[in-house]
Structure formats: structure tokens, C-alpha cells
């Protein structure tokens, strides 16, 4: 089986569900999907297994593939995050994950200042320094990869395995912001300094300073993107 065919099938069906083109409760047949996508049934079977693991569908014997409601989705999975942030629900997704980051990442920075190994704090400081150089040069693609690595390092250095497991979805949201043109054309100078401040505080074991610097980064992030979700209602409201 071609991995590209499998990936394309997962992406196509997943996007249809997240975009609302396949609404919750809809039942589709594997044969129908195979014809629409121009692939074999084995490709659809494997794609459905992946989508089941993400909580998007369930297989009903002798009935077909049933689309599940949003409440069943694994909203922490990076692939679901990526689909949501580039679909009609991007405002809600950006809001949810940005608020989650605002709650978690300052605490992760504080814990990293307590628990980071010497190699981790040194790598964090080196990454922050490279971010400043690359950010000033205007190379947004290179800056994005460094930014993802920086935040992943902080999460891992916290010593909290649940924080560390968030790195994939945070990478997905950072990539989504770039894709949607929600990043400044050049990173703000003070934001570049705040990343250095986080790294310096982590290396120096200054928990409160690390938390405060990361909180400043998160609050700047909110100010840059909150216009996207300004009029988006919250679930249940």
C-alpha cells in the first residue's frame, strides 16, 4: 500500500469531517469513499483505523462508517489541531490552544528552572540566541523551526511528561499561525529578548523570572491573534 495514498485518504476524509462537510451522524460506505478518492478499499480501511484513533469516526458493522460529533474528537492530536486551525473552526481552535498555552507554558518554564539538566538549559540558551539572530534577518521559515524547538525544549525540561506530550500540538498551532499569516513579518525585538530571558532564567535556576518571561511571551501571542476569535462563541454559550 502506498503511504502517500494512505496519507492523502486520511487527510481528505479528516478535513471533510472537521470542516463540517461530513456532519456528525452521517454514515458513509467504504466503497463510496474508495470511488471518490480513487483508491482501493484497503487504503480506506487503513485510513478509517487512523480516523477512529482520532475519535472522528466509528465503524458500524453492516452499516458503514459513522461520523462522530466534535465532543468525541481527540482535540489534543496534532493532526486534528492542524485540520481545525486551517478550517472553518480556526478561531475556536486558536483560542482554545492559545489559552491552554497561556496556562501551561509559564508553569513549564518555572519547572524547567527547577529541573532542567545542564545540557537542556545550555541548548535552550543557544536556541534563544539563534532565534534572535534569525528573527532579525527576517527568515520566518527558519525562525518557525527554532521557535517550535524552543517551546518543545521548555516543555521537556519541565520534567512533567504531560507537558512534554503537548509539543506536537503546539508545533501544529505555530505552523498554522504561520500558514494563516498570523505571525508578524519580523518577530518583535522585545519578544526575541523575552525568549532569551526565559532561557537565561532557566539556566540560572530563577523560577519566578522564567515564569514571568514566558508569561510575557504568551500574553503577546494572545494580543497578536485574539482578533481571529473575537466574535466566535464558546461551546455551550
Amino acid at each position: 500500500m502506498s503511504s502517500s495514498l494512505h496519507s492523502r485518504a486520511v487527510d481528505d476524509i479528516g478535513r471533510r469531517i472537521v470542516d463540517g462537510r461530513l456532519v456528525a451522524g452521517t454514515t458513509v460506505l467504504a466503497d463510496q469513499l474508495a470511488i471518490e478518492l480513487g483508491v482501493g478499499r484497503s487504503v480506506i480501511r487503513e485510513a478509517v483505523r487512523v480516523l477512529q484513533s482520532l475519535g472522528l469516526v466509528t465503524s458500524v458493522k453492516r452499516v458503514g462508517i459513522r461520523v462522530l460529533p466534535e465532543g468525541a474528537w481527540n482535540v489534543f492530536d496534532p493532526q486534528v489541531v492542524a485540520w481545525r486551525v486551517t478550517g472553518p473552526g480556526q478561531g475556536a481552535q486558536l483560542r482554545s490552544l492559545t489559552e491552554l498555552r497561556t496556562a501551561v507554558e509559564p508553569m513549564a518554564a518555572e519547572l524547567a528552572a527547577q529541573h532542567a539538566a545542564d545540557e537542556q538549559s545550555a541548548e535552550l540558551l543557544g536556541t534563544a540566541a539563534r532565534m534572535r539572530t534569525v528573527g532579525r534577518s527576517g527568515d520566518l521559515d527558519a525562525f518557525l523551526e527554532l521557535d517550535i524547538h524552543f517551546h518543545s525544549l521548555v516543555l521537556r525540561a519541565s520534567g512533567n511528561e504531560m507537558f512534554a506530550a503537548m509539543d506536537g500540538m503546539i508545533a501544529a498551532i505555530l505552523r498554522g499561525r504561520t500558514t494563516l499569516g498570523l505571525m508578524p513579518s519580523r518577530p518583535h525585538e522585545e519578544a526575541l529578548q523575552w525568549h532569551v530571558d526565559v532561557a537565561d532564567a532557566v539556566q540560572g535556576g530563577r523560577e519566578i523570572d522564567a515564569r514571568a518571561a514566558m508569561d510575557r511571551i504568551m500574553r503577546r501571542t494572545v494580543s497578536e491573534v485574539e482578533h481571529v476569535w473575537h466574535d466566535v462563541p464558546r461551546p455551550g454559550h
Side-chain angles (χ1 to χ4, degrees):
M1 182 193 305
S2 167
S3 60
S4 62
L5 287 178
H6 169 260
S7 298
R8 183 165 63 86
V10 170
D11 189 62
D12 187 285
I13 302 168
R15 286 186 185 279
R16 291 195 208 183
I17 294 169
V18 171
D19 290 354
R21 286 174 284 161
L22 284 174
V23 300
T26 300
T27 299
V28 294
L29 301 176
D31 286 346
Q32 174 190 342
L33 289 172
I35 292 169
E36 288 179 12
L37 298 179
V39 298
R41 289 192 62 188
S42 61
V43 172
I44 298 299
R45 279 197 301 271
E46 290 303 313
V48 167
R49 288 194 182 97
V50 173
L51 296 168
Q52 281 181 300
S53 73
L54 300 178
L56 270 64
V57 301
T58 187
S59 291
V60 182
K61 195 171 183 179
R62 291 191 292 275
V63 174
I65 302 155
R66 183 168 296 154
V67 178
L68 295 176
E70 187 172 351
W73 300 353
N74 180 0
V75 294
F76 290 97
D77 186 274
Q79 198 158 23
V80 176
V81 170
W83 288 330
R84 292 181 75 199
V85 82
T86 55
Q90 64 184 227
Q93 174 65 101
L94 280 167
R95 178 181 61 207
S96 296
L97 196 44
T98 302
E99 290 175 350
L100 181 63
R101 292 185 65 197
T102 300
V104 169
E105 292 201 55
M107 185 68 210
E110 180 178 336
L111 289 171
Q114 297 176 44
H115 304 296
D118 290 345
E119 315 85 72
Q120 290 176 315
S121 58
E123 185 177 1
L124 190 64
L125 200 56
T127 301
R130 290 196 298 278
M131 286 177 69
R132 183 153 58 183
T133 300
V134 171
R136 287 170 173 170
S137 77
D139 186 344
L140 288 183
D141 290 335
F143 181 81
L144 171 63
E145 296 308 316
L146 287 169
D147 196 21
I148 288 170
H149 186 56
F150 179 90
H151 289 278
S152 176
L153 281 172
V154 172
L155 293 169
R156 293 202 309 270
S158 73
N160 183 308
E161 76 284 358
M162 296 187 78
F163 287 0
M166 291 175 58
D167 65 346
M169 65 178 177
I170 288 176
I173 205 75
L174 289 172
R175 293 188 196 283
R177 280 187 63 195
T178 300
T179 300
L180 295 170
L182 297 173
M183 297 289 277
S185 57
R186 286 179 185 268
H188 298 287
E189 190 64 32
E190 55 184 9
L192 295 173
Q193 182 59 50
W194 292 338
H195 283 78
V196 174
D197 291 345
V198 170
D200 184 65
V202 167
Q203 189 173 58
R206 303 191 311 278
E207 306 104 88
I208 302 305
D209 291 346
R211 183 182 189 118
M214 184 63 84
D215 186 66
R216 286 192 287 272
I217 293 170
M218 291 297 101
R219 290 185 184 280
R220 168 59 70 86
T221 297
V222 171
S223 71
E224 289 174 346
V225 297
E226 62 183 346
H227 66 279
V228 178
W229 66 70
H230 179 68
D231 296 320
V232 178
R234 290 178 180 270
H237 290 76

